Amino acid sequence: MAFRSAVITFPGSNCDRDMAVALEKVSGQPCTRVWHGDSDLPEGLDFIALPGGFSYGDYLRCGAIASRSPVMQAVIAAAERGVPVLGVCNGFQVLTESGLLPGALLRNATIRFVCRDVTLTVENATSLFTSGYEAGQEITIPVAHHDGNYFADAATLDRLEGEGQVAFRYKEDINGSARSIAGVLNARGNVLGMMPHPERAIEATHGGTDGRALFESAIKALVGA
Amino acid sequence: MKVRVHVSLKPGVLDPQGRAIHHSLEGLGFAGVNDVRAGRLFELDVEDSVSDEALSDMCEKLLANMVIENYRIEKVAS
């Protein structure tokens, strides 16, 4: 069955090609590239990805300008219809700025840009993005960010934890994130934002393949194995 | 009409940049600085017909992220 995916490119996105390659390699089907100024998405998409990078030069706040771009209105409408949306790194920042995910991403508590492999713990292994992992499984995925310090008020954090919306946690503190949160789901479970880059860990030449199961999970859930 | 919008982090939100600036001030030998919080100032030149509601809307929809920031609008006599 066809798997119709799209990657949105903003001015300053730099992981858009990596994301499209990951989706194409894992699904075996072409991925459509969509420009931020488009106000319409292709018909009948099964999966939308917002890539990493520095959209609009991180002007104002990371992800702020991108989240108000024409195509994001279509992405928000699609997410509200239940279309799965994955935001990685800058894509996660765009998702929080657009209101599709709660909280915000602040400057790393260390102030330093952090770029290395990190160990994550899978907290929710039942979502459409994470069913290919085991709950509690430790996986290694690279991070590369300056503003990955997840913040939300205590009531929101309690709700996220209580409702199983924390998808991944950092095993060690790398950026000051509240409760070590590395990835969050929306209440419906069709939107995932995460700072680590699963698309950079899908084949052995990347140095690891722990990101592959994320894409496999989504493809299996959407179009069958 | 000239309008200044002051955007600042809400109390309790960690401000690593403010902390670094504070540290640098101490390094320069300035004593008695208890804390530094970094914010942002926008200077807008708008038509007099722009309403207060529209200005607040601009702040809440774009200039400030209401999850982490507060804003204050100041109209400047021109």
Side-chain angles (χ1 to χ4, degrees), chain B residues 50-65:
Chain B
V50 172
S51 68
D52 290 355
E53 290 71 24
L55 289 172
S56 298
D57 217 23
M58 290 177 205
C59 293
E60 290 175 24
K61 284 196 173 140
L62 184 61
L63 300 183
N65 177 339

Side-chain angles (χ1 to χ4, degrees), chain A residues 65-145:
Chain A
I65 309 280
S67 72
R68 277 80 172 170
S69 64
V71 78
M72 277 308 295
Q73 304 317 305
V75 171
I76 291 167
E80 285 170 352
R81 288 198 306 274
V83 177
V85 178
L86 169 68
V88 168
C89 201
N90 189 225
F92 185 14
Q93 295 161 344
V94 173
L95 288 173
T96 58
E97 279 283 344
S98 69
L100 282 173
L101 289 175
L105 291 143
L106 305 172
R107 178 58 42 102
N108 294 345
T110 56
I111 314 182
R112 292 196 178 87
F113 193 97
V114 54
C115 180
R116 63 182 175 91
D117 286 347
V118 296
T119 304
L120 305 177
T121 308
V122 179
E123 293 290 322
N124 175 333
T126 60
S127 79
L128 90 105
F129 302 97
T130 57
S131 62
Y133 300 106
E134 303 286 332
Q137 184 181 344
E138 291 184 1
I139 59 173
T140 303
I141 306 272
V143 296
H145 61 250

Side-chain angles (χ1 to χ4, degrees), chain B residues 1 3 5 14 17-18 20 30 36 53 58-59 63-65 70 77:
Chain B
M1 175 170 61
V3 175
V5 175
L14 182 73
Q17 292 169 100
F30 291 104
V36 177
E53 290 71 24
M58 290 177 205
C59 293
L63 300 183
N65 177 339
N70 290 324

Side-chain angles (χ1 to χ4, degrees), chain A:
Chain A
M1 232 181 106
F3 175 73
R4 286 154 299 191
S5 63
V7 173
I8 315 293
T9 299
F10 302 100
S13 294
N14 65 8
C15 303
D16 44 337
R17 184 179 173 279
D18 293 12
M19 182 66 84
V21 167
L23 284 163
E24 290 184 347
K25 286 210 168 168
V26 180
S27 72
Q29 312 227 15
C31 171
T32 306
R33 311 284 295 275
V34 179
W35 182 238
H36 73 108
D38 295 346
S39 49
D40 297 311
L41 290 167
E43 290 287 314
L45 284 178
D46 297 307
F47 192 92
I48 300 168
L50 305 180
F54 301 86
S55 58
Y56 294 89
D58 282 347
Y59 294 166
L60 187 60
R61 298 176 301 274
C62 299
I65 309 280
S67 72
R68 277 80 172 170
S69 64
V71 78
M72 277 308 295
Q73 304 317 305
V75 171
I76 291 167
E80 285 170 352
R81 288 198 306 274
V83 177
V85 178
L86 169 68
V88 168
C89 201
N90 189 225
F92 185 14
Q93 295 161 344
V94 173
L95 288 173
T96 58
E97 279 283 344
S98 69
L100 282 173
L101 289 175
L105 291 143
L106 305 172
R107 178 58 42 102
N108 294 345
T110 56
I111 314 182
R112 292 196 178 87
F113 193 97
V114 54
C115 180
R116 63 182 175 91
D117 286 347
V118 296
T119 304
L120 305 177
T121 308
V122 179
E123 293 290 322
N124 175 333
T126 60
S127 79
L128 90 105
F129 302 97
T130 57
S131 62
Y133 300 106
E134 303 286 332
Q137 184 181 344
E138 291 184 1
I139 59 173
T140 303
I141 306 272
V143 296
H145 61 250
H146 208 168
D147 297 79
N149 177 356
Y150 186 72
F151 172 87
D153 60 40
T156 303
L157 293 169
D158 289 345
R159 180 167 50 81
L160 290 175
E161 290 183 328
E163 302 292 324
Q165 288 177 245
V166 177
F168 302 104
R169 283 190 219 268
Y170 302 106
K171 197 177 176 203
E172 58 175 314
D173 182 17
I174 60 159
N175 56 23
S177 287
R179 303 189 194 177
S180 301
I181 290 172
V184 294
L185 293 153
N186 67 343
R188 186 169 173 175
N190 68 312
V191 178
L192 170 66
M194 59 192 295
M195 291 311 297
H197 287 270
E199 79 282 9
R200 294 189 191 174
I202 62 150
E203 50 193 335
T205 49
H206 291 165
T209 57
D210 285 355
R212 195 176 178 94
L214 188 147
F215 298 99
E216 287 170 346
S217 303
I219 292 162
K220 189 175 170 193
L222 294 164
V223 297

